[in-house]
């Protein structure tokens, strides 16, 4: 699995605390046998358009104790590669992907087109059968975000 995280702008949230917390909560929700092999995160507003997301350098100003393999754009680029390191992406909560429903579902759709499910640690996690509860929970949370 790949971890996807995001903190708000540096003046609104401490990334040295938030990113490790998001990763820990994601790890607690992992299905048996799953492991996180890549870490993608950004320090930026979750309201930005997808085209400009994941290109900031805010992470360079902090000593964040989580190795960074890149930002959101790097995650999406690796997801479509045949040699990607992960089969699934997990985040702590869907609002860590985006604060705007349109952008969040756009990221979710791009990952799905690549055959990579997007999971959130605070949602029901299922790989088989019906996903109605999982999707409904996500859409409600996106609306609130």
């Amino acid at each position: 699995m790949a971890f996807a995280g995001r903190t708000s702008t540096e003046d609104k949230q401490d990334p040295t605390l938030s990113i490790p917390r998001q990763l820990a909560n994601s790890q607690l929700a992992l299905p048996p046998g799953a492991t996180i092999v890549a870490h993608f995160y950004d320090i930026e507003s979750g309201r930005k358009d997808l085209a400009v997301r994941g290109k900031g350098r805010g992470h360079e100003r902090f000593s964040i104790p989580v190795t960074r393999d890149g930002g959101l754009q790097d995650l999406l680029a690796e997801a479509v590669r045949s040699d990607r390191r992960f089969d699934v992406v997990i985040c702590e909560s869907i609002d860590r992907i985006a604060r705007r429903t349109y952008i969040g579902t756009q990221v979710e759709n791009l990952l799905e087109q690549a055959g990579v499910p997007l999971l959130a640690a605070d949602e029901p996690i299922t790989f088989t059968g019906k996903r109605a509860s999982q999707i409904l929970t996500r859409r409600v949370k996106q609306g609130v975000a």
Side-chain angles (χ1 to χ4, degrees):
M1 293 189 159
F3 164 72
R6 180 191 59 78
T7 66
S8 219
T9 54
E10 309 92 89
D11 60 329
K12 303 236 185 255
Q13 194 171 22
D14 183 349
T16 66
L17 299 174
S18 182
I19 293 297
R21 184 208 70 234
Q22 290 175 46
L23 176 60
N25 287 336
S26 296
Q27 288 171 321
L28 286 172
L30 293 179
T35 186
I36 293 175
V37 298
H39 306 90
F40 299 90
Y41 59 84
D42 295 303
I43 300 171
E44 63 187 9
S45 171
R47 299 194 60 77
K48 286 183 170 183
D49 285 335
L50 184 55
V52 296
R53 288 281 313 277
K55 298 179 182 180
R57 303 184 70 90
H59 61 279
E60 295 174 355
R61 299 197 340 241
F62 296 91
S63 180
I64 300 170
V66 176
T67 304
R68 185 177 185 267
D69 293 296
L72 182 60
Q73 295 298 331
D74 300 303
L75 170 70
L76 294 173
E78 185 169 338
V80 298
R81 292 188 353 219
S82 62
D83 65 338
R84 71 176 175 247
R85 296 171 285 166
F86 52 87
D87 299 313
V88 177
V89 173
I90 189 164
C91 59
E92 178 188 42
S93 177
I94 199 63
D95 64 349
R96 298 295 91 204
I97 298 298
R99 286 282 189 188
R100 293 172 49 205
T101 302
Y102 172 74
I103 304 299
T105 53
Q106 189 177 13
V107 169
E108 183 180 3
N109 187 45
L110 289 169
L111 290 170
E112 281 183 11
Q113 288 175 7
V116 178
L118 173 61
L119 305 178
D122 64 346
E123 297 174 2
I125 294 179
T126 181
F127 292 103
T128 60
K130 297 178 182 177
R131 295 181 54 219
S133 293
Q134 183 181 20
I135 298 299
L136 179 59
T137 300
R138 179 169 295 173
R139 298 302 176 248
V140 168
K141 288 174 32 198
Q142 285 173 321
V144 170

